[in-house]
Amino acid sequence: VVGVTLQLYDHGAAVQRKSACCAGQDIADAGRVADKIGIPHYVLNYESRFREDVIDRFADAYVRGETPVPCVLCNQTVKFRDLLDTAKDLGADALATGHYIRRTAGPGGPELHRAADDGKDQSYFLFATTREQLDYLRFPLGDMTKEQTRALADRYALPVAGKPDSQDICFVPGGRYADVVLKLRPEAAEPGEIVDLSGQVIGAHDGVIHFTVGQRRGLGIEQAMDPLYVVRIEPDTRRIVAGPRSALAIRTIRIAGVNWIGPDLAPGKSLDCEVKVRSMRPPVAATVTLDGAGAAVVTLVAPEHGVAPGQACVLYDGERVLGGGWIAREDTTVKSGEKAA
């Protein structure tokens, strides 16, 4: 067994950040654990890859008026592409990670299933895992609860048994996404208008990067009647379209960049499933129709509110992960004086 930790961003700036994953302290802790159990430990510097494949794409998505999921990109690129290739180059038989998800033997090969601990399940962030990758990956914590994991660490006197869970996105201090985007894309702070569904100007803002679909707080509009929500973001015109919660209801979702690891499904044929449109939401009933060219249409049985472009839409059959894709932005613009569709 060989232990590997990835250094993904500036080590010196990260050492004191205890609530973020892949922080500098994590590298030191992993080294202490490896020393305790008597295995070699290596730190791989993937900073440039992480910057290009995760941080830059994160910033660009916000500029486009989308709400990205950098943890999916990280798993999809630097972990299950670059690190997996390195493991194979080293002649390893498998790559085991600490993700809370299960790899289960199925009639057609290994399948991806939700974790036993529903509160720690990470399947939403791993929808892009391919069949080929599943052949090589192992998830030893998938059948355990976090309490059982900590108990094992305590049993073997590992120095991280009581370590707090990571919560923040590793490169976003304090959850202030806009600060990161502004640093990388300063032009994203251009002001614009806030309009209602008819195109009437009702306010102003200091950059589309401060908003996401479904957002209620932070609009800065005096509301005498019903609360207003961000219904749509129009990056080309730098306009935020606001409306009542009912305007957020959506039944049809188009997704791109689809990774399908479910049973064979012919293009144009529909399959009943459940979907998650945000990581913390429960799965809801839907049907999915693949187009055979990397895209799909998801039709929800009941409307969902606040479906944000750029987020992941992950598909399930019970506990099994069927795959998923990225929620596409509808290219619609509310013109002044024109009622929205």
Side-chain angles (χ1 to χ4, degrees), residues 59-98:
D60 290 339
Y62 264 104
V63 173
R64 292 195 303 269
E66 299 174 356
T67 306
V69 191
C71 295
V72 174
L73 293 175
C74 183
N75 289 324
Q76 186 179 25
T77 57
V78 296
K79 289 179 182 173
F80 291 170
R81 182 195 65 196
D82 299 334
L83 178 58
L84 190 144
D85 287 345
T86 298
K88 288 183 175 180
D89 288 343
L90 292 173
D93 297 316
L95 173 63
T97 81

Side-chain angles (χ1 to χ4, degrees), residues 8-327:
L8 299 181
Y9 53 96
D10 182 65
H11 178 75
V15 171
Q16 302 301 322
R17 296 193 42 222
K18 299 182 181 299
S19 62
C21 66
C22 307
Q25 186 61 49
D26 286 344
I27 295 175
D29 289 341
R32 293 163 62 204
V33 170
D35 184 64
K36 175 69 177 180
I37 63 178
I39 65 171
H41 176 245
Y42 302 97
V43 178
L44 303 182
N45 188 328
Y46 281 10
E47 283 190 38
S48 60
R49 308 180 196 201
F50 186 73
R51 169 67 181 258
E52 179 179 347
D53 289 324
V54 180
I55 299 179
D56 284 347
R57 290 170 66 178
F58 172 88
D60 290 339
Y62 264 104
V63 173
R64 292 195 303 269
E66 299 174 356
T67 306
V69 191
C71 295
V72 174
L73 293 175
C74 183
N75 289 324
Q76 186 179 25
T77 57
V78 296
K79 289 179 182 173
F80 291 170
R81 182 195 65 196
D82 299 334
L83 178 58
L84 190 144
D85 287 345
T86 298
K88 288 183 175 180
D89 288 343
L90 292 173
D93 297 316
L95 173 63
T97 81
H99 290 98
Y100 278 84
I101 195 167
R102 290 181 291 165
R103 176 186 182 273
T104 302
E111 299 174 356
L112 205 59
H113 286 239
R114 292 168 57 89
D117 187 342
D118 189 60
K120 294 296 180 184
D121 174 60
Q122 292 177 286
S123 60
Y124 180 85
F125 302 103
L126 292 165
F127 80 82
T129 308
T130 66
R131 296 181 190 275
E132 181 182 11
Q133 291 168 345
L134 272 180
D135 285 336
Y136 194 69
L137 290 167
R138 303 292 184 270
F139 306 109
L141 303 187
D143 288 313
M144 302 164 61
T145 66
K146 191 59 177 279
E147 290 71 24
Q148 289 172 322
T149 302
R150 290 191 183 280
L152 275 179
D154 185 64
R155 173 183 170 186
Y156 292 108
L158 301 184
V160 293
K163 183 176 179 177
D165 291 351
S166 59
Q167 297 175 339
D168 297 335
I169 294 176
C170 60
F171 60 91
V172 183
R176 297 176 61 87
Y177 306 142
D179 290 351
V180 174
V181 179
L182 285 174
K183 183 177 180 180
L184 298 172
R185 306 288 186 269
E187 69 279 7
E190 295 181 5
E193 299 172 337
I194 300 176
V195 302
D196 61 18
L197 295 179
S198 68
Q200 182 71 33
V201 177
I202 57 175
H205 65 80
D206 56 0
V208 296
I209 60 171
H210 298 287
F211 301 91
T212 183
V213 171
Q215 177 178 332
R216 175 181 172 183
R217 299 179 183 276
L219 290 178
I221 301 172
E222 292 293 334
Q223 300 171 22
M225 300 178 67
D226 294 335
L228 293 178
Y229 297 79
V230 175
V231 175
R232 186 165 61 254
I233 299 172
E234 300 176 351
D236 293 339
T237 59
R238 303 194 304 279
R239 294 207 295 182
I240 302 297
V241 181
R245 186 174 185 274
S246 59
L248 290 169
I250 189 170
R251 287 279 303 274
T252 302
I253 304 171
R254 300 184 184 278
I255 58 176
V258 172
N259 178 58
W260 183 258
I261 52 174
D264 291 340
L265 182 63
K269 297 293 184 180
S270 297
L271 177 71
D272 291 337
C273 62
E274 297 86 44
V275 306
K276 292 181 70 170
V277 294
R278 285 187 185 266
S279 62
M280 300 305 292
R281 288 191 186 179
V284 296
T287 61
V288 60
T289 306
L290 305 179
D291 73 351
V297 174
V298 174
T299 304
L300 303 169
V301 172
E304 279 281 284
H305 294 76
V307 177
Q311 289 277 300
C313 178
V314 183
L315 314 168
Y316 298 87
D317 178 9
E319 295 296 303
R320 183 181 179 182
V321 181
L322 301 175
W326 301 101
I327 299 172

